[in-house]
């Protein structure tokens, strides 16, 4: 939902006041400080002036976050500010706004255009500006004039800043390297191939704002013109700043029908529908598309703001903002059990963020034990940037027992959306926080009343009668739901008053009636799908994605059902099994689901009616084609993830091994082939070694799997007359031993070689070959793979090989690299959701390396990987619903 708001601009006098007195520049994060002759107290005075546009807490919080974003090794992490040529005509206002940032110790990277100025001079000299696809045609004369205009405008801005006592450094060229975009079509226009950030960082380290143009040099020494918006985007990709700010004379993007300024665009949620709006066309559509492509390359903490120069302070230092904020966004979840959200992730959040745990007043285990005493709901967003736990015993007023935001959750407004989701579910709520909580102002704004005792504040909403409040608190204390310190309600005795933290505002005592509606008006324009509001929260509570599982009876199907049952954003809508049709699905707690005997015609009808968001085909090889053809024939939007080998060699399908192949391809794909279990382990073992293998001799892999990998069959009927599912191979049938099978030409041998070929160097036409032999063992699940690979370089040591794996799989939460001598064992991988490599040894000749790896064939070898692929294709966090340890 797009958010629009009418916002008064801050007074220009504020910006002028901020630079009056020539206070010192204090660069961020411990780098060189150019203090000048003015004391630090002057910086504090300037900071206090900001309180006229936002609360003290807001201003101090954003200052702290922005200041912490940079460090001596990466001093340019705060913001990239792109200035449109039209804004340069508002030079005094622009210089004041940039000087303001300099005065509070922040150093943005500034890049400007000069389009209007260039056009004016070109026309005066008899040259008519010409464009193709919005790109300026640049001949030698145009480029000569452009170089002069850019230098003049750059110097004008630098001079204006210097007059205000703000050090600035002109950097007209030297940052961008480019090739010709299309010389015949556009002339001397460049496509950036490299960004050199050293001149920028040198400027910041010296205490000067870097002021850039978008001119670039080619490797051959040809000067090239580059669109300033494009240059700003490439600069942001290199620096990965928290903020990318586009200053224009319109102050933001405006709705094409109502004319109102759009406050927030959340791309993950709104991009597709927004681009279909009739008023989103031409330049607006191009701008939004370019911003999405930019943010897709940046961390989710990065966001784009489109604002006017005189609104810069309000945009950066208040929750309400001033222009149009564009970010990727996340969706919310709510679950009623720890298992549903991942107990390991919750434990980590409590360990890292709970102030009582950090202070040693509680333990993580104690928090989780207390949690189980009453029914509860966990609210949060997919990356866990804000987590809240609400205890709600039947017939009692709910208590928010934990509210644990991250820095990103505060910065990006996730806390507002989580709290709003709670308000939708609970008309009344109590919660507590420390009296010196740095977000105290946020709590006060959302409460109808509060008071403080013994260093802790109690907040509530939904109750106006103080006698009712006192009765509720009495009940809480009797049942141990909150601390026994809040009765009687009212001002505490003087000797019990908690001294407030010097860094916080004095906490109010007694009760404080407080109507949030006065501060946070909300108007809804239903016809436009727009709303106004005082918060820029971006997460949206949505219905889970509906998954249909065709072939639910096997071991993999059962593992997948368990994962979906604990997934914050997926829900089973249909399960299909001919043998179990009409019976209830056991072990699934989210809702009651009945097995069906779905036919291809049923599937086609469901797809046409939009009943399913994603289909999972958990059928034996060669069986699912009629179902896939039925879905294709319906021309719907449903995603298909096929667990069989049927489509692993099809070009129109995306191969779903995210750690090795394109995640972007999976995000945009509707047809995904899930890799085989042996093939997954094999490829993960071989991939890091590909450049170092002897091309003449095949590597060999010996794989041994638990008997669940051999599949299932119908067993005897149970007491209710229903067929049971049993393993085709059992420990008893193996006699406690190991059985080797498919001695040559196993399907996973061809699969692994086929896809590893795509990782060979460009231009290589060779098909990668390997030899694979599988065996089945008398344990239930878990694959151990042993790779013996010929090396072309005898100088590689085991430690070098380990480093190859560590570098290749750095940052992959499901891939683990063990120590050199730690051979992978069954206990390392059975029941685990990831893959592990270890036990690396190089032969004495230096010509062969042996490496062990392993995974659970039902999890990372099947169901867990399927969930990764579902998450990516449905726009969710890749690891949502997967216990990542």
């Amino acid at each position: 939902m797009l958010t629009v708001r009418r916002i008064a601009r801050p007074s220009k006098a504020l910006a002028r006041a901020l630079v009056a007195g020539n206070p010192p520049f204090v660069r961020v994060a411990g780098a060189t400080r150019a203090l000048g002759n003015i004391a630090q107290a002057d910086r504090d005075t300037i900071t206090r002036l900001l309180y006229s546009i936002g609360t003290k807490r807001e201003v101090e919080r954003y200052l702290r976050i922005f200041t912490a974003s940079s460090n001596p090794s990466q001093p340019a992490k705060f913001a990239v500010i792109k200035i449109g040529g039209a804004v340069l005509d508002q030079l005094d206002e622009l210089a004041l706004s940039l000087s303001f940032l300099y005065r509070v110790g922040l150093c943005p990277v500034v890049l400007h255009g000069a389009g209007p100025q260039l056009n004016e001079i070109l026309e005066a000299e008899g040259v008519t500006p010409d464009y193709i696809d919005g790109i300026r045609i640049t001949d030698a004369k145009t480029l000569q004039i452009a170089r002069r205009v850019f230098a003049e405008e750059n110097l004008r801005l630098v001079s204006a800043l210097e007059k205000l006592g703000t050090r600035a450094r002109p950097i007209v060229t030297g940052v961008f390297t480019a090739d010709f975009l299309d010389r015949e079509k556009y002339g001397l226009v460049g496509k950036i191939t490299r960004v050199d950030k050293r001149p920028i960082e040198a400027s910041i380290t010296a205490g000067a704002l870097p002021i850039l143009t978008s001119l670039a040099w080619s490797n051959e020494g040809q000067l090239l013109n580059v669109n300033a918006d494009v240059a700003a985007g490439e600069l942001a990709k290199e620096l990965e700043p928290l903020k990318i700010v586009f200053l224009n004379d319109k102050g933001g993007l405006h709705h094409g029908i109502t004319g109102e300024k759009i406050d927030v665009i959340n791309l993950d949620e709104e991009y597709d529908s927004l681009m279909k709006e009739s008023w989103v066309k031409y330049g607006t559509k191009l701008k939004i598309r370019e911003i999405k492509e930019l943010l897709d390359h940046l961390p989710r903490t990065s966001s784009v703001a489109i604002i006017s120069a005189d609104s810069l302070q309000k945009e950066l230092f208040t929750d309400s903002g001033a222009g149009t904020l564009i970010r990727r966004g996340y969706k919310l979840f709510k679950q009623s059990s720890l298992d549903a959200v991942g107990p390991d992730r919750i434990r980590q959040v409590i360990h890292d963020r709970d102030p009582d745990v950090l202070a040693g007043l509680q333990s993580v285990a104690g928090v989780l034990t207390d949690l189980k005493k009453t029914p509860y709901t966990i609210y949060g967003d997919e990356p866990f940037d804000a987590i809240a736990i609400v205890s709600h015993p039947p017939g009692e007023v709910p208590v928010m027992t934990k509210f644990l935001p991250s820095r990103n959750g505060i910065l990006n407004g996730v806390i507002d959306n989580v709290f709003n989701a709670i308000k939708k579910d609970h008309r009344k709520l109590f919660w507590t926080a420390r009296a010196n909580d740095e977000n105290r102002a946020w709590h006060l704004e959302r409460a109808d009343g509060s008071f403080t005792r013994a260093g802790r504040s109690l907040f509530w909403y939904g109750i106006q009668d103080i006698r009712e409040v006192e009765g509720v608190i009495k009940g809480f204390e009797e049942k141990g739901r909150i601390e026994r310190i809040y009765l009687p309600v009212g001002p505490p005795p003087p000797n019990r008053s908690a001294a407030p933290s010097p860094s916080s505002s004095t906490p109010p005592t007694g009760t404080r009636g407080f109507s949030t509606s006065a501060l946070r008006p909300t108007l809804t324009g239903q016809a436009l799908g727009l709303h106004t509001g005082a918060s820029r929260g971006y997460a949206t509570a949505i219905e889970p994605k509906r998954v249909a599982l065709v072939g639910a009876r096997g071991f993999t199907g059962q593992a997948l059902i368990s994962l979906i049952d604990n997934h914050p954003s997926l829900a089973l809508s249909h399960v299909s099994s001919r043998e179990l049709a009409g019976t209830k699905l056991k072990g699934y707690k989210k809702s009651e689901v009945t097995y069906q005997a779905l036919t291809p015609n049923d599937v086609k009808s469901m797809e046409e009616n939009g009943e399913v968001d994603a289909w999972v085909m958990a059928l034996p090889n060669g069986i699912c084609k009629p179902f896939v053809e039925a879905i294709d024939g319906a021309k719907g939007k449903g995603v298909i993830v096929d667990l069989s080998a049927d489509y692993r060699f099809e070009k129109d399908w995306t191969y779903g091994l995210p750690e090795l192949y394109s995640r972007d391809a999976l995000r945009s794909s509707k047809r995904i082939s899930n890799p085989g279990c042996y093939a997954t382990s094999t490829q993960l073992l071989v991939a890091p070694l590909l450049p170092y293998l002897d091309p003449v001799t095949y590597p060999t892999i010996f794989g041994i799997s638990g008997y669940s990998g051999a599949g299932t069959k119908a067993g005897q009927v149970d007491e209710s007359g229903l067929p049971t599912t049993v393993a085709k191979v059992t420990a008893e049938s193996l006699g406690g031993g190991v059985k080797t099978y498919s001695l040559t030409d196993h399907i996973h041998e061809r699969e692994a070689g086929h896809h590893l070929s795509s990782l060979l160097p460009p231009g290589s036409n060779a098909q990668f070959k390997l030899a694979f032999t599988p065996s089945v063992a008398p344990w239930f699940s878990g694959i151990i793979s042993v790779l013996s690979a010929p090396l072309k370089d005898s100088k590689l040591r085991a430690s070098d090989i380990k480093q190859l794996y560590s570098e290749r799989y750095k940052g992959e939460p499901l891939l683990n690299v063990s120590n050199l001598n730690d051979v992978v064992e069954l206990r390392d991988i059975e029941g685990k959701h990831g893959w592990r490599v270890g036990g690396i040894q190089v032969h004495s000749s230096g010509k062969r390396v042996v490496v062990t790896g392993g995974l659970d064939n039902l999890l990372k070898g099947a169901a867990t990987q399927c969930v990764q692929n579902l998450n990516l294709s449905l726009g969710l966090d890749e690891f949502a619903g997967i216990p990542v340890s």
Side-chain angles (χ1 to χ4, degrees):
M1 179 178 290
L2 302 182
T3 309
V4 297
R5 186 183 303 113
R6 300 177 181 87
I7 300 173
R9 290 181 175 178
S11 169
K12 295 182 181 180
L14 170 63
R16 293 191 176 94
L18 288 170
V19 297
N22 191 25
F25 170 76
V26 183
R27 200 175 62 72
V28 296
T32 304
R33 295 172 180 246
L35 290 174
N37 298 319
I38 308 298
Q40 176 64 29
D42 286 334
R43 180 177 184 265
D44 296 336
T45 299
I46 293 168
T47 301
R48 286 195 291 273
L49 288 172
L50 281 172
Y51 303 159
S52 64
I53 61 170
T55 68
K56 181 174 184 287
R57 294 285 182 173
E58 281 179 301
V59 171
E60 290 180 348
R61 183 174 74 239
Y62 284 110
L63 268 175
R64 185 167 56 253
I65 290 170
F66 291 146
T67 300
S69 65
S70 299
N71 57 68
S73 64
Q74 295 180 309
K77 284 285 190 179
F78 161 50
V80 169
I81 298 180
K82 185 268 175 179
I83 302 170
V87 179
L88 289 174
D89 291 335
Q90 308 164 27
L91 189 61
D92 291 343
E93 196 69 52
L94 174 62
L96 284 169
S97 293
L98 294 176
S99 291
F100 145 74
L101 295 176
Y102 181 87
R103 299 306 178 196
V104 293
L106 299 173
C107 199
V109 180
V110 179
L111 183 147
H112 67 81
Q117 294 84 352
L118 178 57
N119 286 343
E120 184 179 345
I121 294 176
L122 286 173
E123 291 169 0
E125 298 193 12
V127 179
T128 301
D130 193 12
Y131 297 85
I132 297 178
D133 302 328
I135 297 173
R136 182 190 297 273
I137 306 303
T138 305
D139 57 17
K141 183 175 183 179
T142 300
L143 183 62
Q144 181 183 12
I145 296 172
R147 184 176 187 179
R148 186 178 80 236
V149 170
F150 270 118
E152 290 173 352
E153 294 300 316
N154 188 276
L155 183 59
R156 271 206 323 136
L157 178 54
V158 169
S159 299
L161 290 166
E162 295 279 359
K163 285 180 181 179
L164 294 172
T166 298
R167 293 188 60 200
R169 178 176 293 184
I171 306 176
V172 179
T173 60
V175 170
F176 301 112
T177 302
D179 288 336
F180 286 96
L181 179 61
D182 186 330
R183 188 164 191 172
E184 292 185 5
K185 187 174 183 180
Y186 303 116
L188 301 174
V189 175
K191 178 181 180 181
I192 293 174
T193 57
R194 180 174 176 269
V195 176
D196 185 353
K197 60 184 179 181
R198 290 175 299 175
I200 297 169
E201 293 178 341
S203 175
I204 296 174
T205 302
L209 296 183
I211 311 298
L212 285 66
T213 76
S214 59
L215 294 175
W217 290 102
S218 73
N219 289 325
E220 293 74 28
Q222 172 64 56
L223 189 66
L224 297 172
N225 183 27
V226 177
N227 177 275
D229 283 347
V230 172
E234 293 301 319
L235 187 62
K237 290 177 186 177
E238 178 67 27
L239 300 177
E240 295 187 345
L242 279 177
K243 289 284 184 180
I244 304 97
V245 179
F246 291 89
L247 296 182
N248 67 17
D249 54 348
K250 297 180 180 178
L253 295 179
H254 292 74
H255 195 287
I257 298 175
T258 67
E260 292 183 296
K261 185 184 296 179
I262 299 170
D263 183 32
V264 181
I265 298 176
N266 306 308
L267 294 172
D268 278 7
E269 188 74 18
E270 301 166 0
Y271 178 76
D272 290 339
S273 59
L274 180 61
M275 297 300 273
K276 295 175 184 176
E277 292 281 348
S278 60
W279 58 270
V280 178
K281 52 188 176 182
Y282 310 130
T284 301
K285 178 170 286 190
L286 178 62
K287 172 72 73 174
I288 295 172
R289 182 184 297 120
E290 289 175 344
I291 290 174
K292 181 182 186 303
E293 291 173 354
L294 168 61
L295 290 177
D296 283 345
H297 283 84
L298 297 176
R300 283 192 179 268
T301 49
S302 298
S303 60
V304 169
I306 303 175
I307 54 174
S308 58
D310 60 357
S311 297
L312 188 59
Q313 303 98 316
K314 190 171 181 64
E315 174 63 33
L316 292 176
F317 292 95
T318 67
D319 291 336
S320 58
T324 299
L325 180 69
I326 304 176
R327 54 191 167 196
R328 291 169 67 186
Y330 274 110
K331 300 165 187 174
L332 293 186
F333 67 81
K334 60 179 182 179
Q335 295 290 346
S336 56
S337 72
L338 282 173
D339 290 340
V341 295
D344 291 339
R345 294 184 74 187
I346 288 291
R347 288 189 190 98
Q348 194 65 48
V349 168
I350 295 171
H351 177 273
D352 293 344
R353 302 181 198 164
D354 191 320
D356 292 334
V357 172
L358 294 173
L361 301 176
Q362 275 189 299
S363 67
V364 175
V367 172
L368 297 178
T369 299
D370 291 343
L371 185 62
K372 298 174 183 178
K373 293 178 180 178
T374 66
Y376 62 88
T377 299
I378 302 172
Y379 296 81
D381 65 323
E382 290 170 359
F384 279 43
D385 277 333
I387 295 294
I389 302 174
V390 176
S391 164
H392 46 82
E396 297 184 26
V397 176
V399 174
M400 183 165 66
T401 59
K402 295 294 177 186
F403 192 64
L404 308 173
S406 69
R407 187 188 74 162
N408 293 335
I410 296 169
L411 176 66
N412 293 323
V414 187
I415 53 176
D416 292 311
N417 293 76
V418 170
F419 194 80
N420 289 338
I422 293 171
K423 289 192 74 171
K424 288 180 182 179
D425 291 347
H426 303 291
R427 292 184 296 117
K428 302 175 182 179
L429 185 76
F430 282 72
W431 71 99
T432 65
R434 292 188 168 197
N436 61 355
D437 189 299
E438 66 174 1
N439 298 310
R440 179 178 174 79
W442 183 91
H443 293 284
L444 287 170
E445 288 178 7
R446 284 146 189 84
D448 289 338
S450 70
F451 62 90
T452 298
R453 292 279 171 77
R456 295 193 70 85
S457 296
L458 178 70
F459 303 92
W460 68 87
Y461 69 71
I463 302 178
Q464 305 299 328
D465 187 337
I466 194 62
R467 289 170 296 184
E468 183 181 352
V469 171
E470 192 162 30
V472 171
I473 296 173
K474 183 177 181 180
F476 287 162
E477 292 194 355
E478 289 175 350
K479 297 180 180 180
R481 295 186 64 196
I482 62 172
E483 304 97 324
R484 292 180 175 272
I485 59 172
Y486 293 108
L487 287 177
V489 175
N495 64 346
R496 293 185 62 194
S497 295
S501 167
S503 64
S504 66
S505 55
T506 303
T509 58
T511 60
R512 182 177 68 87
F514 197 99
S515 173
T516 59
S517 61
L519 291 176
R520 307 168 72 80
T522 300
L523 303 173
T524 303
Q526 296 291 344
L528 298 176
L530 303 171
H531 73 87
T532 61
S535 169
R536 274 181 156 178
Y538 62 80
T540 305
I542 62 167
E543 291 298 316
K545 299 292 186 181
R546 300 158 299 174
V547 178
L549 177 57
V550 180
R553 202 187 68 178
F555 292 137
T556 297
Q558 294 301 312
L560 189 57
I561 289 169
S562 178
L563 279 168
I564 294 175
D565 194 29
N566 293 307
H567 196 294
S569 304
L570 299 180
L572 277 175
S573 58
H574 303 81
V575 290
S576 178
S577 170
R578 289 175 300 172
E579 294 85 355
L580 299 175
T583 63
K584 302 296 183 185
L585 174 63
K586 296 179 181 179
Y588 185 72
K589 302 182 291 294
K590 286 184 177 178
S591 63
E592 187 173 273
V593 180
T594 302
Y595 281 102
Q596 301 169 271
L598 295 176
T599 66
N601 287 336
D602 296 329
V603 166
K604 183 177 182 180
S605 177
M606 292 160 63
E607 180 68 9
E608 288 173 341
N609 295 330
E611 296 177 29
V612 174
D613 297 305
W615 301 86
V616 177
M617 301 295 167
L619 297 166
N621 294 342
I623 303 297
C624 74
K625 185 177 181 180
F627 293 95
V628 171
E629 289 178 345
I631 296 169
D632 288 342
K635 300 186 184 303
K637 298 180 179 180
V639 171
I640 303 177
V641 179
D642 177 31
L643 304 188
S644 78
D646 291 6
Y647 295 93
R648 291 176 188 161
F649 302 90
E650 297 292 329
K651 292 183 179 179
D652 294 333
W653 285 60
T654 304
Y655 190 69
L657 182 42
E659 291 87 352
L660 287 183
Y661 307 106
S662 174
R663 283 183 163 101
D664 287 341
L666 288 166
R667 290 186 182 99
S668 61
S669 179
K670 297 295 184 184
R671 300 291 182 265
I672 299 171
S673 57
N674 216 59
C677 51
Y678 279 123
T680 296
S681 188
T682 296
Q683 290 173 84
L684 291 172
L685 275 173
V686 172
L689 305 181
L690 278 175
Y692 308 93
L693 297 181
D694 184 344
V696 178
T697 307
Y698 292 179
T700 62
I701 298 92
F702 171 75
I704 183 167
S705 171
Y707 59 81
S708 60
T712 63
K713 62 181 180 180
Q716 301 294 321
V717 297
D718 61 17
E719 296 177 353
S720 60
L722 296 175
T724 59
T725 298
V726 299
K728 289 181 178 178
V729 177
T730 66
E732 290 76 17
S733 67
L734 292 170
V738 173
K739 180 179 180 181
T740 303
Y741 64 101
S742 296
L743 302 183
T744 62
D745 299 306
H746 190 283
I747 185 68
H748 289 185
E749 178 183 279
R750 185 163 67 95
E751 177 186 339
H754 175 80
H755 291 286
L756 285 169
S757 297
S758 68
L759 301 179
L760 294 174
S764 174
N765 296 319
Q767 179 72 24
F768 184 79
K769 300 289 186 181
L770 56 84
F772 169 72
T773 305
S775 295
V776 61
W779 58 76
F780 179 69
S781 68
I783 285 176
I784 302 294
S785 302
V786 182
L787 166 67
S788 178
L791 299 173
K792 61 183 178 183
D793 185 353
S794 61
K795 297 180 181 179
L796 286 175
R797 298 172 299 175
S799 58
D800 299 325
I801 302 293
K802 179 179 182 292
Q803 187 63 24
L804 293 175
Y805 285 102
S806 297
E807 290 176 358
R808 181 62 185 259
Y809 299 136
K810 181 180 179 181
E812 292 291 352
L814 296 182
L815 306 187
N816 306 284
V817 181
S818 298
N819 294 326
L820 287 177
N821 297 322
D822 292 344
V823 173
V824 176
E825 299 178 54
L826 181 62
R827 62 185 177 183
D828 297 325
I829 47 95
E830 187 176 21
K832 307 294 195 330
H833 291 269
W835 174 82
R836 182 173 293 276
V837 61
I840 303 169
Q841 291 190 21
V842 175
H843 190 266
S844 57
S845 66
K847 288 294 187 178
R848 182 167 60 91
V849 63
V850 177
V851 188
T852 66
L855 50 74
D856 192 306
N857 52 290
L858 299 180
L859 299 176
K860 179 57 180 170
T864 302
Q865 194 140 262
C866 176
V867 170
Q868 285 181 264
N869 291 324
L870 285 172
N871 286 337
L872 288 167
S873 63
L874 294 172
L876 307 175
D877 180 84
E878 179 180 342
F879 304 102
I882 299 172
V884 177
S885 58

